[in-house]
Every structure is written in C-alpha cells, then in structure tokens.
Amino acid sequence: MITLGNISKNYNGLRVVDNVSLEIGENVIYGLIGKSGAGKSTLIRMMSLLESLDTGEIYYDNCRVDNLEREKLSRCRRQLGMIFQHFNLFSSRNVFGNVAYPLEIVGKDKETIKKRVSELLKMVELSDKFDYPISKLSGGQKQRVAIARALANHPKFLFCDEATSALDPQTTKSVLRLIKSIRDKIGLTVVIITHQMEVVKEICDYVSIIDNGKIVENGTVKEVVGFPHTKIAREFISTLDTLEKNALQTITSGSATCRLHFDSESVTKPILSYLIRNYQLDVNILSGAIRTVNKEPLGELVLKFIGSATELNRGIAHLESVGVTVEVLDD
Ligand SMILES: Nc1ncnc2c1ncn2[C@@H]1O[C@H](COP(=O)(O)OP(=O)(O)OP(=O)(O)O)[C@@H](O)[C@H]1O
Ligand SMILES: [Mg+2]
C-alpha cells in the first residue's frame, strides 16, 4: 500500500503538486490521468522517492519513506520498479544485459542472474530474443524488456510514466494486458500515469484525475467514467462536449438538455420507450455511447427533452427512480 499525505512541490514559486493525499491499495492498478503540465510526472517522481517533498509525508505499507537517509533510501527504492515512455534501455547492452543490470547492481552471482533473467524473459514472452541488441527490437518489445528489468528484484510497486504513449494502439493493448497478467500472477501494485483514457479503461481499477497539481476527482474507474462530476473529467471521458455546445445554442423554453448515465443494469432496459409512452415528452437524441469498463457496459446519452416543466421534472424523477443518473446540462 502507498499512502500520500498532503504532499506538495513548488518549482520557482509555482505549485506543481498541490496538497495531494491518496491511498493506493495492495495489488491494485491505479491510474493518474491529467493534461500535459498537470504535474503527473512530478507526482510519480515524488512517489518513487526521486524527488524531495516541500510538504507532506509518504508511506509504503505504513512505513514512512520520504525522510530516509541515503543508504536506507536506496534500499527502500529496491521495492519499486519504473518504466517510461522512451524505455530508457542501455543501447550498449543486449536484451539479457539490460535485464541483468539491476541484479548486478545488488551483487547477485552469475548463476542466479542467468536463472532470474531467463524467468523474466519468459514472463514477458521474449525468451527467444535474449541475445538481441536493443536497436533490433520493436517499441513493444523494448517496453517488454523494460518491464522485465523493472521487475528483476521482485519489487512491490511498479510505476509507469506514460509507458505506452510511444506505442500504437494494438501494441499499447498488448503491453497493458501483459502488465495486468503479471499483476494477477505475482501480485504487484501498479501506478500508471497517462493522458489516455483508453489506458485507464483497459487496465486500471481506480483512477484519479489531476489538474493543476490537484486531484480533482477519484474513485473506481467505473465511478469516474460512468458518473463524472467535473468538467475536466468529462473532457477526458467524452467527445460529446462539442455536440452539447451546438445543442445548447438552440434550446428553447419548455425543453432541457440532459446527459443520462446508465449503469450495467439500466443500460439493458427499455427505459426511454417507457418514458415516451408514459409522459408528455418528446425526445431528441443528440449523441450517445456505450462504453465497456472492466467488461461491464456503461451507457451515456445526451438528450433534449421537450415538454412542460412539470412533465420534465416528472420524467427526470422517473429516470432517477430506475437507476439512471441525470445531469441537466441546460434548460
Ligand atoms: N525540474 C523542474 N524544474 C522546474 N519546473 C519543473 C520541473 N519539473 C517539472 N516542472 C514544471 O512542473 C509542471 C508540471 O510538470 P510535469 O512534468 O510534472 O507535468 P506532466 O503532467 O507530467 O506533463 P506531461 O503530460 O507533459 O508529461 C510544469 O509546469 C513543468 O514545467
Ligand atoms: Mg509527464
């Protein structure tokens, strides 16, 4: 478990990480998503003890780690592995040499290193490439080598800073699936920094949205994707905002534009047809989507309801009563 208590960081008088508190449970995959410059990399560098804190405290499994002396700090950092967008592999070493490096650093003998590297390469499905130079690998293969290297000393935590941003969508998926399967197999807490909602939806259990150094929203992926509260969350989740703006310009009295969020139960029910039959309302569909989050369908519809204020309120109350969350965008 990783606990952040009110951590902050300033650069040149600018607050880049602002009073962040967060608890990341054991064996979860936790996403941190935000726009460029939001402070994500700074936050993950603080979490991985590469960057000092201006305020606050960090705990790994209830043990305070942000104030350790040099030697204890480097021992503590062995509990974590990191992977990055640009892989950061040694081009002078081949695949075997890269994965062996962290084992050499901690003084393992040759036999142990050989055995461990071969286990790791098997885990990332690169056993046949052990003697390849790094330059002969694809991006996805390079990231697999980086994952194997990060896991060499059996860390408890894996930190990934935009680890799939340089990969195409198909390769991104396969790398994410690999990380998930490793977590399932060996147990690992994974923190993933990304600006891609697809990454969060593919792999994460929980997500926090970071904006201007602050956590503005967090929860399970299902909660945040299904029922976003902030504008920035909606921007990440939805491409519907431009459609809504167009729609809002044409709104007349006696109508309301609403975004409806359906959970996995309500998404399969004929809720709208019931509404139209039983209330004096007309409905225009402005946009809609069904997303799959952790294999569960979540629906989102932006609708324009036309009818009297009384009927509108009755209709919305009905929708809420059958488990649909209604967000009134304008009326
Ligand atoms: N070492 C540093 N010295 C001074 N300013 C820094 C330093 N590192 C980051 N910053 C500033 O802190 C802010 C947040 O940077 P950070 O790299 O954490 O953002 P990010 O969310 O990771 O962005 P991106 O998605 O582009 O990687 C930026 O304004 C950046 O210029
Ligand atoms: Mg960054």
Side-chain angles (χ1 to χ4, degrees):
M1 188 168 79
I2 302 170
T3 311
L4 309 179
N6 286 317
I7 67 168
S8 299
K9 181 82 190 172
N10 297 289
Y11 286 126
N12 312 321
L14 184 75
R15 189 152 273 221
V16 174
V17 171
D18 193 0
N19 255 323
V20 169
S21 293
L22 193 62
E23 203 158 275
I24 300 179
E26 204 164 325
N27 294 345
V28 307
I29 302 185
Y30 206 109
L32 298 171
I33 188 168
K35 292 180 183 167
S36 185
K40 306 181 296 296
S41 293
T42 308
L43 183 59
I44 211 166
R45 284 205 310 273
M46 292 162 84
M47 245 191 245
S48 52
L49 313 178
L50 291 168
E51 192 81 64
S52 62
L53 318 182
D54 287 345
T55 69
E57 295 167 4
I58 299 180
Y59 295 83
Y60 289 173
D61 299 332
N62 298 320
C63 178
R64 188 159 175 193
V65 293
D66 60 276
N67 58 355
L68 299 175
E69 294 151 18
R70 220 184 161 86
E71 203 179 309
K72 279 190 178 158
L73 179 68
S74 72
R75 221 173 314 135
C76 182
R77 293 203 69 249
R78 283 184 206 151
Q79 294 183 71
L80 61 95
M82 283 196 85
I83 56 172
F84 306 91
Q85 178 172 4
H86 297 297
F87 322 120
N88 299 14
L89 297 171
F90 303 115
S91 54
S92 57
R93 288 174 164 234
N94 64 11
V95 168
F96 181 95
N98 268 278
V99 181
Y101 182 75
L103 297 160
E104 292 168 11
I105 293 284
V106 297
K108 299 280 185 208
D109 63 74
K110 276 202 167 132
E111 258 330 284
T112 311
I113 292 178
K114 214 169 139 191
K115 189 163 164 272
R116 179 72 183 137
V117 173
S118 103
E119 269 170 26
L120 288 157
L121 290 180
K122 194 166 165 215
M123 185 157 74
V124 300
E125 292 163 19
L126 283 178
S127 299
D128 57 330
K129 304 273 188 304
F130 76 97
D131 59 349
Y132 266 49
I134 296 303
S135 60
K136 292 242 170 86
L137 300 178
S138 69
Q141 289 167 338
K142 284 180 189 163
Q143 200 55 288
R144 283 166 188 267
V145 174
I147 292 170
R149 184 179 64 176
L151 298 178
N153 283 316
H154 303 278
K156 282 188 190 159
F157 314 120
L158 178 67
F159 294 111
C160 314
D161 190 353
E162 300 280 7
T164 55
S165 298
L167 307 174
D168 65 62
Q170 211 49 43
T171 314
T172 293
K173 273 200 171 170
S174 84
V175 168
L176 294 176
R177 281 182 191 151
L178 174 68
I179 293 173
K180 198 169 190 165
S181 81
I182 292 171
R183 186 277 304 261
D184 294 342
K185 241 183 263 164
I186 66 172
L188 190 66
T189 300
V190 183
V191 182
I192 294 195
I193 288 226
T194 184
H195 60 266
Q196 297 167 289
M197 203 62 193
E198 289 313 308
V199 169
V200 170
K201 277 162 44 189
E202 183 72 31
I203 183 176
C204 295
D205 304 308
Y206 297 88
V207 62
S208 290
I209 299 182
I210 318 276
D211 193 32
N212 276 326
K214 285 195 173 75
I215 293 184
V216 293
E217 199 153 336
N218 66 358
T220 64
V221 174
K222 194 174 154 188
E223 282 162 0
V224 174
V225 173
F227 310 99
H229 299 299
T230 56
K231 184 166 177 286
I232 175 130
R234 278 184 226 124
E235 277 172 20
F236 271 114
I237 290 152
S238 178
T239 50
L240 306 178
D241 282 350
T242 46
L243 277 172
E244 282 155 27
K245 278 184 200 123
N246 293 340
L248 293 179
Q249 288 162 11
T250 60
I251 282 173
T252 53
S253 59
S255 70
T257 303
C258 301
R259 192 197 321 254
L260 276 52
H261 300 277
F262 298 82
D263 63 15
S264 54
E265 219 175 280
S266 58
V267 80
T268 55
K269 293 182 186 159
I271 287 168
L272 275 191
S273 57
Y274 179 89
L275 191 79
I276 295 162
R277 277 204 305 272
N278 291 280
Y279 297 86
Q280 296 288 313
L281 290 174
D282 284 322
V283 177
N284 285 337
I285 297 176
L286 301 181
S287 58
I290 292 184
R291 301 167 210 289
T292 305
V293 175
N294 290 335
K295 302 201 169 66
E296 278 191 51
L298 291 179
E300 183 182 296
L301 268 182
V302 179
L303 303 175
K304 185 172 174 181
F305 291 112
I306 302 155
S308 69
T310 320
E311 280 304 282
L312 276 167
N313 287 323
R314 286 183 62 218
I316 290 171
H318 168 73
L319 289 169
E320 298 270 6
S321 76
V322 294
V324 178
T325 304
V326 182
E327 212 184 316
V328 179
L329 301 172
D330 206 349
D331 55 22

